[in-house]
Amino acid sequence: MADVFISYSNKDSHLANQVCGALEAAGLRCWIAPRDISKGTLWPEAITTALEQCPVVVLIFTANSNASPDVLNEIALATENNAARIVFQAEAVPPSKSLKYYLHVVQWLDATAPPIKPHLRELVGAVRQALAVQPPAPEPAVVRTPGPAAGTQAQPAKTAAAPPQPEVDLKPQTPGITQTLRVSKNLRVWLASLGMLALGGLILLAVMLAQ
């Protein structure tokens, strides 16, 4: 990921390359169009992505960039992304009202008086300072599970107790035998009654014959 996005007018490409060279010679990574736009990538997509990733935006301010709608869009996106904006003023022209809206509270470096090299060194220092105060990217949260306390051993996980099983009556069921016994008992009672009746009849018959 680059450190610095360089915003400029295509008509000032020579000056933009000087600025880019000075920053990269100082170890600062730069993103500049069209050098860093991959083949087949749409320019608006590439520029938007770069502006989302670069923490510092350097605007090479000239009469050309002051009138450029592309430069205005880049500065608007840089403001939306809360990037640090540094204006490298190469020409003494007043900013348009649209640019002034985004740039009235940012750092301006006056580079209108030649030679340019001292101004480039000042720009390097300003970019380094801006990078130093940028908040670091948040690290992804790592969820850690607490381990066993010191001096203790990890206990094996307890398995859930099985639910109690209903008791099963293992005694054999003999409904047929029980019913047979009941019938036999009833039969004995009936036979006994029948025998008593027969005996009574014999006695009665004997009495009658005796008369």
Side-chain angles (χ1 to χ4, degrees):
M1 184 179 68
D3 300 314
V4 185
F5 180 98
I6 299 178
S7 177
Y8 70 101
S9 168
N10 291 333
K11 298 177 182 179
D12 301 320
S13 58
H14 178 70
L15 178 58
N17 289 330
Q18 279 186 281
V19 171
C20 181
L23 292 174
E24 291 185 336
L28 299 168
R29 296 165 296 180
C30 296
W31 193 99
I32 186 171
R35 184 194 70 179
D36 295 315
I37 297 180
S38 303
K39 292 182 179 180
T41 304
L42 297 176
W43 278 54
E45 179 182 351
I47 290 174
T48 301
T49 301
L51 283 167
E52 291 174 348
Q53 296 175 349
C54 294
V56 178
V57 174
V58 171
L59 168 61
I60 300 177
F61 184 76
T62 64
N64 295 323
S65 61
N66 192 35
S68 171
D70 292 329
V71 168
L72 177 61
N73 289 335
E74 292 169 359
I75 298 303
L77 284 174
T79 305
E80 180 179 341
N81 295 331
N82 201 28
R85 287 146 288 156
I86 300 174
V87 180
F88 188 75
Q89 186 177 10
E91 295 180 1
V93 292
S96 66
K97 291 184 178 180
S98 297
L99 271 179
K100 187 177 182 180
Y101 176 83
Y102 296 107
L103 301 177
H104 70 286
V105 293
V106 303
Q107 185 177 6
W108 286 68
L109 299 180
D110 187 359
T112 56
I116 194 174
K117 286 186 178 181
H119 304 305
L120 293 176
R121 288 194 295 268
E122 184 181 6
L123 177 61
V124 169
V127 170
R128 285 177 174 167
Q129 183 178 3
L131 289 172
V133 299
Q134 287 296 309
E139 296 182 358
V142 178
V143 179
R144 301 182 183 274
T145 56
T152 61
Q153 296 181 350
Q155 299 296 327
K158 296 183 179 180
T159 57
Q165 299 294 330
E167 295 184 359
V168 179
D169 188 2
L170 300 179
K171 295 181 180 180
Q173 303 295 329
T174 55
I177 296 175
T178 303
Q179 185 176 4
T180 302
L181 294 175
R182 290 177 180 176
V183 172
S184 299
K185 183 177 180 180
N186 294 334
L187 181 61
R188 288 195 300 270
V189 173
W190 180 79
L191 289 175
S193 300
L194 182 61
M196 293 179 65
L197 289 175
L199 180 60
L202 291 175
I203 294 173
L204 180 60
L205 180 59
V207 172
M208 292 178 63
L209 288 175
Q211 293 178 356

